[in-house]
């Protein structure tokens, strides 16, 4: 190691002492009682130089890696954008949107047609009902008129206190014979004499 | 174990992967306004019941929202990532017509899908073998035309190390 540089070529330095026979709980041997373990000697200038070189190397490497990473990402992004935002694509999109608008307009026309038809239908129905009502009212009024006229006609033949005497005399003077005979065939015979 | 729902075929992978509407990457949200009753929304109802699972399966990153009984007539609305909104009137349309319409205006065309498929295939080489996650076959013995796995078919004597060592010792 550091004490005998180059004098033990076959000995490979170990970072961690290998635990051959003893476990970590076994006490160290008596021969190792005064052993002082020293870290390997370091040459400060060499150390500085080596550290500086490593620092620069790592700096350069990480910078290169970052550079390449960014380049790859940029390329991917550009490719994606080129695939998406190309002029033909936008054109296509606009055309499809226009077609969609037309489709919507057609549907709107159909809808308006349907609503118009529905409104017409409703109006027609309302008119029909109104007409029917009017006709009913007319018929009713006619009936009532007829009844009134009939009553007026009959009123002429009413018996009032004035012509009571005259009517009685009239009835007594003209006796009416209500008798009649009927046979099984339904023929009425009114030859019965009033007695 | 009983099947769930009125049309459990909608839950099968085969049915779901039969959906052919793959949206362009600019479509982010799809909104469906429809009514639960009425002759006019019949197509929209069928669309929601049968076709939306297929669409969501093929587009897992698109948000789909359903609104019921909020407007008198049914419609679809798509929100793209550049802020544009696309309105699609679906009154008195069958669900097949609706899917065709949507596929035409906002779906990826067949050529595009095939191209993407080919790109994806290029990334992996089918002839290599290794872990199941990245390759088709795990061991050389699984490849057609190669020596079969000695676990199933014993190797001929001449290829076995035991025999070769014995021969060498003899000679």
């Amino acid at each position: 190691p550091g004490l005998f540089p180059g004098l033990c070529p076959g000995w490979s330095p170990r970072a961690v002492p290998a635990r051959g026979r003893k476990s970590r709980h076994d006490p160290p041997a008596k021969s190792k009682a005064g052993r002082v373990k020293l870290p390997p000697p370091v040459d400060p200038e060499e150390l500085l130089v080596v550290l500086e070189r490593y620092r620069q190397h790592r700096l350069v490497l990480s910078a290169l890696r970052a550079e390449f990473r960014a380049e790859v990402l940029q390329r991917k992004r550009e490719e994606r954008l080129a695939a998406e935002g190309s002029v033909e694509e936008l054109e296509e999109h606009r055309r499809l949107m226009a077609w969609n608008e037309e489709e919507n307009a057609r549907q709107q026309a159909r809808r308006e047609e349907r609503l118009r038809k529905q409104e017409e239908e409703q109006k027609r129905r309302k008119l029909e009902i109104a007409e029917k009502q009017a006709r009913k009212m007319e018929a009713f009024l006619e009936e009532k008129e007829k009844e009134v006229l009939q009553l007026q006609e009959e009123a002429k033949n009413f018996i009032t206190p004035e012509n009571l005497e005259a009517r009685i005399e009239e009835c007594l003077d003209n006796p009416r014979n209500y008798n009649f005979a009927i046979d099984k065939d339904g023929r009425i015979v009114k030859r019965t004499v009033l007695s | 174990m009983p099947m769930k729902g009125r049309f459990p075929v909608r839950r099968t992978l085969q049915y779901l992967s039969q959906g052919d509407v793959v949206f362009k990457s600019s479509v982010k949200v799809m909104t469906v306004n429809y009514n639960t009753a009425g002759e006019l929304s019949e197509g929209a109802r069928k669309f929601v019941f049968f076709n939306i699972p297929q669409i969501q399966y093929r587009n897992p990153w698109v948000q789909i929202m359903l609104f019921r009984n909020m407007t008198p007539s049914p419609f679809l609305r798509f929100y793209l990532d550049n802020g544009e909104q696309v309105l699609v009137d679906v009154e008195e349309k069958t669900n097949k017509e609706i899917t065709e319409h949507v596929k035409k205006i906002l779906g990826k065309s067949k050529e595009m899908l095939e191209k993407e498929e080919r790109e994806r295939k290029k990334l992996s080489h089918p002839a290599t073998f290794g872990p199941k996650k990245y390759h088709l076959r795990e061991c050389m013995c699984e490849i057609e035309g190669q020596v079969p796995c000695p676990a199933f078919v014993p190797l001929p004597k001449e290829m076995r190390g035991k025999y070769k060592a014995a021969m060498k010792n003899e000679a």
Side-chain angles (χ1 to χ4, degrees):
Chain A
L3 294 169
F4 311 101
L7 282 191
C8 1
W11 186 83
S12 56
R14 280 217 165 95
V16 173
R19 293 206 164 270
R21 211 172 47 80
K22 290 188 179 174
S23 80
R24 66 185 343 173
H25 306 290
D26 297 322
K30 284 195 288 237
S31 58
K32 302 276 186 290
R35 180 157 181 259
V36 171
K37 285 194 277 193
L38 293 171
V42 167
D43 193 13
E45 296 131 8
E46 190 195 349
L47 180 70
L48 281 171
V49 165
V50 161
L51 283 178
E52 182 58 29
R53 284 192 197 163
Y54 265 124
R55 191 183 70 84
Q56 280 174 357
H57 163 78
R58 283 180 193 142
L59 187 75
V60 168
L61 263 186
S62 81
L64 275 173
R65 281 195 203 113
E67 189 66 40
F68 292 144
R69 211 177 299 139
E71 191 186 321
V72 164
L73 274 176
Q74 180 69 14
R75 242 187 247 165
K76 248 198 222 160
R77 213 181 298 136
E78 267 174 21
E79 201 191 297
R80 196 166 58 81
L81 274 177
E84 263 184 32
S86 62
V87 181
E88 306 96 44
E89 291 254 352
L90 287 170
E91 255 314 304
E92 185 73 20
H93 189 256
R94 251 176 294 217
R95 196 176 59 80
L96 290 169
M97 292 302 115
W99 183 79
N100 187 41
E101 288 294 316
E102 278 167 41
E103 196 61 41
N104 282 353
R106 265 174 264 162
Q107 182 62 35
Q108 172 86 342
R110 260 173 265 156
R111 186 187 305 130
E112 268 164 18
E113 183 67 32
R114 185 168 36 87
L115 285 171
R116 199 173 51 79
K117 275 212 183 74
Q118 269 180 3
E119 274 196 34
E120 271 185 29
E121 182 71 27
Q122 248 183 353
K123 245 190 272 187
R124 198 178 56 78
R125 229 176 280 158
K126 265 211 177 117
L127 232 99
E128 256 187 45
I129 289 171
E131 262 178 41
K132 243 194 236 172
Q133 277 283 65
R135 256 177 272 154
K136 268 201 201 136
M137 277 310 286
E138 256 189 48
F140 183 72
L141 283 171
E142 254 192 54
E143 280 284 327
K144 290 298 174 206
E145 277 279 336
K146 252 200 301 193
E147 276 185 21
V148 166
L149 284 169
Q150 205 178 7
L151 207 60
Q152 271 181 352
E153 285 288 325
E154 282 175 13
K156 289 184 191 139
N157 295 346
F158 279 174
I159 300 177
T160 66
E162 289 87 29
N163 53 1
L164 178 69
E165 301 287 335
R167 288 294 283 271
I168 293 173
E169 294 295 323
E170 194 190 313
C171 284
L172 286 170
D173 288 335
N174 312 335
R176 282 195 59 177
N177 189 10
Y178 292 102
N179 300 330
F180 68 93
I182 188 163
D183 66 357
K184 286 194 185 152
D185 296 327
R187 286 176 290 192
I188 315 172
V189 170
K190 289 200 175 168
R191 279 188 312 188
T192 324
V193 172
L194 184 70
S195 59
Chain B
M1 202 189 316
M3 295 186 240
K4 294 194 179 161
R6 280 185 290 151
F7 281 81
V9 72
R10 293 178 294 148
R11 295 164 61 122
T12 57
L13 280 178
Q14 192 196 7
Y15 175 84
L16 290 173
S17 49
Q18 270 172 1
D20 50 3
V21 180
V22 181
F23 286 132
K24 298 188 183 142
S25 49
S26 56
V27 177
K28 298 291 176 208
V29 185
M30 173 166 126
T31 299
V32 185
N33 266 286
Y34 66 106
N35 295 329
T36 50
E39 190 55 51
L40 306 167
S41 297
E42 186 60 36
R45 278 199 292 276
K46 287 237 149 57
F47 175 74
V48 164
F49 193 70
F50 288 112
N51 298 100
I52 282 205
Q54 289 175 322
I55 295 177
Q56 183 80 96
Y57 182 75
R58 293 305 294 269
N59 307 279
W61 290 100
V62 169
Q63 178 180 13
I64 300 182
M65 294 227 57
L66 309 172
F67 295 106
R68 297 177 178 88
N69 300 324
M70 295 188 85
T71 66
S73 72
F75 61 91
L76 265 61
R77 210 185 202 115
F78 297 89
Y79 297 81
L80 310 186
D81 61 359
N82 53 6
E84 193 185 334
Q85 293 179 15
V86 184
L87 175 70
V88 177
D89 199 349
V90 300
E91 203 171 15
E92 289 176 345
K93 283 200 178 147
T94 61
N95 66 338
K96 213 164 164 54
E97 282 171 23
I98 300 173
T99 28
E100 290 297 326
H101 188 93
V102 165
K103 194 165 127 178
K104 182 166 172 181
I105 53 171
L106 287 167
K108 282 192 184 154
S109 62
K110 220 167 175 195
E111 301 94 38
M112 268 198 81
L113 284 172
E114 272 170 20
K115 195 165 74 149
E116 274 173 17
E117 186 66 39
R118 262 177 280 144
E119 296 286 308
R120 248 177 305 189
K121 263 183 145 161
K122 261 196 234 173
L123 294 171
S124 62
H125 200 301
T128 49
F129 55 91
K132 273 258 178 279
K133 189 173 167 193
Y134 303 106
H135 305 271
L136 293 169
R137 293 162 288 217
E138 270 201 312
C139 177
M140 180 69 119
C141 65
E142 294 176 35
I143 299 176
E144 312 83 42
Q146 298 296 333
V147 169
C149 189
F152 300 106
V153 172
L155 286 175
K157 283 208 306 288
E158 291 82 19
M159 290 195 206
R160 296 186 66 194
K162 174 177 203 174
Y163 182 79
K164 281 199 232 171
M167 287 278 100
K168 201 195 281 191
N169 280 350
E170 215 178 280

